[in-house]
Amino acid sequence: MSIWNELSGIDYRHTYVETGDFKTRALQAGPEDGEHVVFLHGTTGHLEAFVRNIPAHAERYRCHSIDMLGHGYTGKPDRPAEIPLYVEHLMAYLDAVGAERAHLVGESLGGWVGSWAASEHPDRVASLQLLCMGGTKINPAVMERLKTSTSDAALKDDISFTRERLRLLWAHWDEDLGEELTQIRYDIYHHPDFQRNLHNLLALQEPEARERNLLRPDRMGRIKAPTLVVWGNKNPLGDVPEAEAIAAAIPGARLEVFNECGHWPQHEKADLYNPLSLEFLAASSAT
């Protein structure tokens, strides 16, 4: 099994979209007149995080999995990547593809960005899915772990550090796609532009920057979009009570916890996540 196999059954486009001063790498699929669903990855991630989800969603929805600003092969501004900057880029992408509104699916950092966008631009967010979302806590141990593991993976030639960075996200190693995703991530991490920009991508792992970007209960309380919170019971970056607090802070939010699952529930438990997401999207579209 490979990423090509995962996508082989659909008509998709791997493209670059002009978004302001930068080009944004995107994987687009699904009917052009379908409702837009935008998939947002985590810190130093890339659009391949959703290859197991695009085919199922593209049967009905216009899907966009993008490299967020500064990430993957998308343009890289020379300044710290904080949440309002990511949201500004997301809005520019929606404008560029003609999406007045979109369903947002955000994993980790992507959920943080999606939540911020939903609180600032409620008219543009049709629904919100938060997969092991970050941004509600300042946990120095977790932040240091992310900084160290990512820096090692990006700045050392040994590919085993990239593999370990990926393994950090999963409860169980993915025998089918693990090595292919490791090679994709290694190539991204060792691109000179990515290495030069790494300190900007890790800005939110610094306490002062994280403090001013924190998702506080009052901000989450302003979210009006239907919201689904998905969590893995073996998420190494946040325990289940953190998910319960997020769901409690967002009016009407629904929480689903997957067993034997780490930080990538959409990937590790795609067989559970895809039908759950499609059911949620259908219900959200009907409201």
Side-chain angles (χ1 to χ4, degrees), residues 63-86:
C63 298
H64 310 257
S65 183
I66 67 172
D67 285 347
M68 292 199 294
L69 191 65
H71 287 75
Y73 295 102
T74 287
K76 295 167 177 54
D78 186 19
R79 52 179 163 154
E82 299 194 21
I83 299 301
L85 187 61
Y86 286 123

Side-chain angles (χ1 to χ4, degrees), residues 8-57:
S8 60
I10 62 169
D11 182 7
Y12 68 91
R13 184 181 183 203
H14 177 256
T15 188
Y16 285 82
V17 176
E18 294 287 349
T19 47
D21 296 331
F22 304 100
K23 289 184 177 180
T24 296
R25 185 172 76 116
L27 177 67
Q28 302 173 339
E32 293 192 8
D33 61 351
E35 296 179 60
H36 297 273
V37 180
V38 180
F39 296 86
L40 304 169
H41 56 73
T43 297
T44 64
H46 36 90
L47 61 80
E48 285 82 1
F50 298 99
V51 292
R52 286 187 168 164
N53 315 113
I54 298 297
H57 289 74

Side-chain angles (χ1 to χ4, degrees), residues 47-221:
L47 61 80
E48 285 82 1
F50 298 99
V51 292
R52 286 187 168 164
N53 315 113
I54 298 297
H57 289 74
E59 292 181 8
R60 175 172 176 179
Y61 298 97
R62 183 61 177 168
C63 298
H64 310 257
S65 183
I66 67 172
D67 285 347
M68 292 199 294
L69 191 65
H71 287 75
Y73 295 102
T74 287
K76 295 167 177 54
D78 186 19
R79 52 179 163 154
E82 299 194 21
I83 299 301
L85 187 61
Y86 286 123
V87 172
E88 181 181 332
H89 173 252
L90 173 60
M91 293 299 123
Y93 180 83
L94 295 182
D95 290 342
V97 298
E100 292 184 7
R101 299 180 82 220
H103 303 274
L104 301 182
V105 178
E107 183 268 328
S108 194
L109 171 66
W112 192 350
V113 173
S115 294
W116 200 283
S119 67
E120 292 290 322
H121 305 280
D123 56 322
R124 305 205 65 177
V125 180
S127 73
L128 190 59
Q129 294 186 44
L130 309 175
L131 317 179
C132 294
M133 180 181 76
T136 62
K137 286 189 172 183
I138 297 177
N139 186 327
V142 169
M143 292 155 62
E144 184 59 33
R145 188 181 186 188
L146 275 176
K147 280 197 300 185
T148 301
S149 61
T150 306
S151 297
D152 285 347
L155 302 177
K156 296 182 179 179
D157 290 338
D158 188 342
I159 198 172
S160 66
F161 288 101
T162 307
R163 187 178 297 110
E164 288 305 309
R165 176 64 176 83
L166 196 57
R167 290 182 72 110
L168 172 63
L169 306 175
W170 299 338
H172 304 282
W173 179 243
D174 183 337
E175 295 291 347
D176 289 333
L177 293 183
E179 290 304 319
E180 187 176 6
L181 285 168
T182 296
Q183 188 62 57
I184 290 170
R185 181 163 289 209
Y186 181 87
D187 291 345
I188 290 172
Y189 279 14
H190 289 78
H191 193 285
D193 286 348
F194 186 91
Q195 292 178 327
R196 277 194 294 270
N197 187 53
L198 182 60
H199 64 292
N200 286 325
L201 293 187
L202 295 176
L204 292 171
Q205 308 312 319
E206 300 296 335
E208 185 176 340
R210 198 175 187 89
E211 176 72 30
R212 61 175 171 264
N213 287 272
L214 210 58
L215 272 174
R216 302 182 190 284
D218 61 330
R219 178 175 288 280
M220 290 191 283

